[in-house]
Amino acid sequence: SQPAARRLEVRVPEKAPRLSGADLEALRRQIVRMLRLSDKDDEVAEQFAVASPDLAKQGPVGRLFRSPCLFEDLVKTFTLCNCGWVRSLSMNEALCKKIGGGAFPSADELAKVPARRLRALCGVGYRAERIIRLARSVVKGTLDLAVLEGLQDASEAEGRCSSIFGLGPYGVANALQLLGHYELVAA
């Protein structure tokens, strides 16, 4: 029998301008990434279920919710380190309100902000330098997130993640999971 077709309804406010074809495609890509709906994600989830039968018997496994883009995932990994969930949320909310104009800030937006200002505005503390250096490396092209996201080899992905300034063992493990590489993450 054929699997049921997947359907997701996305509502856009009535007063919003009509979405172009390019906007719709960008939205589709973001949703597929966030909800892990690609064929590759299906394979990863199946492999995870086989490797973790104790978890799989409880229900579906292997699909860790992600942000619309890897840059946002990495920044949120920094804001999650060494603090509780509420603090992490407040830092991310401040990034959106004070730097991103209501949306999560892009690498271009963050690259222009001095670390001292980011600390003062968003309360990110020592994370400011890490966030700014990440943003600037993305903007300069010294860190190609599309390449990182496309790596099939877990060891290579781990090496690339480990080279990101300020991403320690926890951050690397989190990034690997967000990239779909669970095989190197300690259970």
Side-chain angles (χ1 to χ4, degrees), residues 48-94:
F48 188 86
V50 168
S52 305
D54 55 326
L55 295 174
K57 71 180 177 184
Q58 305 295 320
V61 295
R63 293 187 193 267
L64 184 64
F65 184 80
R66 300 184 289 187
S67 297
C69 67
L70 182 56
F71 176 74
E72 185 173 334
D73 279 333
L74 293 172
V75 172
K76 288 178 177 177
T77 296
F78 286 137
T79 62
L80 189 57
C81 289
N82 298 319
C83 66
W85 184 244
V86 172
R87 175 104 169 88
S88 179
L89 290 175
S90 71
M91 286 186 274
N92 288 313
E93 184 176 7

Side-chain angles (χ1 to χ4, degrees), residues 11-28:
R11 295 180 186 221
V12 178
E14 286 184 35
K15 294 182 181 185
R18 184 166 175 80
L19 297 177
S20 69
D23 290 335
L24 289 171
E25 179 55 28
L27 183 60
R28 187 197 68 74

